[in-house]
Amino acid sequence: MLKPGLFYTLTADDMLSQGLYLKDEEGERVLLPRRQVPDNIQTGDSLKVFVYLDSDDRLIATTDRPRAQLHQVASLQVKDVNSTGAFLDWGLPKDLFVPFAEQKQRLEAGKTCLVYITEDNTGRLIGSTRLNRFIKDEARSDWPGAPAPFTQGDIVRLIIAQRTDIGYKAVVNDEYWGVLHESQIHKAIRVGQKTEGYIRRVRDDHRLDLSLEPIGHARADALANRIMKKLVESGGQLGLSDHSPADLIELHFGVSKRAFKMAIGKLFKDRQIVIEADGIRIADGPGDERRSAKPRNDRKPAQTGKADKKAEKAPKAAGRKTVYRNPKSQSERTLKLKK
């Protein structure tokens, strides 16, 4: 059965004056208006369409792509507000209706808001800004004993929802709340933005901590590829190293200094780059990939000359005997001095 608010791949069945009828595997049909029928389509061809209700509450198909479908969250602009509610632009000829009862705060024309696509008790598609009715705080399975929805490092879809004291709240896969802590943000983001993210941690209370960067080795691998691409574009050299300021690294790559150091360490270990005092460059000669400008350790050179004499005149250590040695060889006939 065709349900309003979802995408379907249907089969061209019959062309009439009003448009093309499409059908699903069970034989249910829906009309695609003539102005949207693709050129040269033939009976039996497959076509992906979005199904919704028109102004007369009739099921209709469209090749237009809305900004969200049923049970998804989107940032939409308010086109109009009247005595019944607000109407939002979601990319279709028929605007998305948000009743006053589904508005957490009164919507204003021209403003944008986050809205969840749902349906009323008659099956018509509506929007709701009361996201807490639909988005869950705890990411746990609905069935006892079933595996958790996420594990550390999983790639997820995020939509930034709200600024908080510790960072941002984000909607994860249109279903769960997650927190993006300030320490994990190294590039500009905004409320309403859609982006790819990662599960940094599933807490003991089943709530989600998020990251905009891959976790663990995956982060180093992805960033290393970006650094090599940047090196190639810059002629083989880059004025950044592990001694560069964190804000400069963040400006160029949108990552933390720690992540950058891990990535260039991997590239150096793989003999792809040379680390110099003022930056990094692509290794381009025999043995070049093994050389680094960084010292191997922090040991000071041994003291010589006057420093040695000063060391000999240093005060006696408590509880230890001082032995005076004869500077001449024992082969000569000299007296041995003892304390």
Side-chain angles (χ1 to χ4, degrees), residues 3-20:
K3 185 177 181 63
L6 299 175
F7 286 95
Y8 293 93
T9 300
L10 303 177
T11 303
D13 183 44
D14 192 13
M15 177 69 78
L16 300 177
S17 58
Q18 62 268 37
L20 175 66

Side-chain angles (χ1 to χ4, degrees), residues 47-261:
L47 186 64
K48 186 175 182 178
V49 295
F50 182 76
V51 175
Y52 69 111
L53 298 177
D54 65 9
S55 301
D56 297 321
D57 291 337
R58 296 175 302 187
L59 205 63
I60 194 168
T62 178
T63 54
D64 294 335
R65 187 177 183 87
R67 295 183 177 88
Q69 60 177 323
L70 186 63
H71 305 314
Q72 287 186 348
V73 178
S75 178
L76 304 178
Q77 185 176 41
V78 181
K79 290 182 64 176
D80 189 25
V81 178
N82 62 19
S83 59
T84 60
F87 296 86
L88 278 57
D89 179 12
W90 67 322
L92 296 181
K94 182 183 177 182
D95 296 330
L96 181 68
F97 179 56
V98 182
F100 284 123
E102 293 295 337
Q103 297 179 26
K104 186 176 181 180
Q105 297 176 335
R106 285 291 183 262
L107 300 179
E108 301 178 19
K111 299 292 184 65
T112 59
C113 63
L114 282 183
V115 61
Y116 183 88
I117 314 297
T118 183
E119 52 190 354
D120 63 13
N121 53 9
T122 67
R124 292 183 302 175
L125 296 174
I126 61 170
S128 175
T129 62
R130 298 183 180 274
L131 299 185
N132 286 333
R133 290 184 179 179
F134 310 98
I135 308 302
K136 304 171 187 175
D137 286 321
E138 299 178 359
R140 64 170 75 205
S141 175
D142 295 331
W143 302 96
F150 303 107
T151 58
Q152 186 183 47
D154 285 351
I155 302 175
V156 292
R157 301 187 314 274
L158 302 180
I159 181 164
I160 309 302
Q162 179 185 349
R163 187 76 166 91
T164 70
D165 293 337
I166 60 174
Y168 285 87
K169 285 184 69 175
V171 179
V172 181
N173 288 357
D174 300 299
E175 195 170 357
Y176 303 100
W177 285 116
V179 176
L180 189 60
H181 291 270
E182 197 75 49
S183 61
Q184 299 299 315
I185 303 172
H186 304 288
K187 59 184 178 181
I189 59 174
R190 58 177 176 79
V191 173
Q193 177 182 344
K194 286 186 176 182
T195 184
E196 186 179 82
Y198 303 85
I199 301 298
R200 185 168 69 91
R201 182 177 61 151
V202 181
R203 292 159 42 183
D204 293 338
D205 58 2
H206 302 283
R207 297 175 186 247
L208 301 175
D209 288 340
L210 307 172
S211 172
L212 296 177
E213 303 172 13
I215 306 300
H217 295 293
R219 172 175 61 178
D221 292 343
L223 181 55
N225 292 334
R226 289 172 54 198
I227 292 172
M228 286 302 298
K229 182 179 178 182
K230 187 81 169 179
L231 279 166
V232 172
E233 294 173 351
S234 304
Q237 293 185 329
L238 192 62
L240 291 174
S241 69
D242 52 359
H243 298 298
S244 300
D247 54 352
L248 187 61
I249 293 171
E250 186 175 317
L251 177 66
H252 281 270
F253 292 100
V255 298
S256 64
K257 184 172 181 177
R258 181 172 180 270
F260 180 77
K261 290 173 69 174

Side-chain angles (χ1 to χ4, degrees), residues 276-291:
E276 299 180 326
D278 57 349
I280 58 176
R281 64 178 174 85
I282 297 176
D284 55 5
D288 199 12
E289 68 276 1
R290 295 182 177 272
R291 189 169 68 248

Side-chain angles (χ1 to χ4, degrees), residues 261-314:
K261 290 173 69 174
M262 288 176 59
I264 65 172
K266 179 182 184 303
L267 290 172
F268 179 72
K269 184 178 179 180
D270 293 343
R271 303 179 181 181
Q272 297 186 60
I273 66 169
V274 174
I275 302 176
E276 299 180 326
D278 57 349
I280 58 176
R281 64 178 174 85
I282 297 176
D284 55 5
D288 199 12
E289 68 276 1
R290 295 182 177 272
R291 189 169 68 248
S292 172
K294 296 188 298 181
R296 293 183 178 274
N297 53 51
D298 297 329
R299 290 182 298 178
K300 295 180 179 180
Q303 294 179 333
T304 58
K306 295 181 180 180
D308 290 337
K309 295 181 180 179
K310 289 181 179 180
E312 291 177 1
K313 295 180 181 179

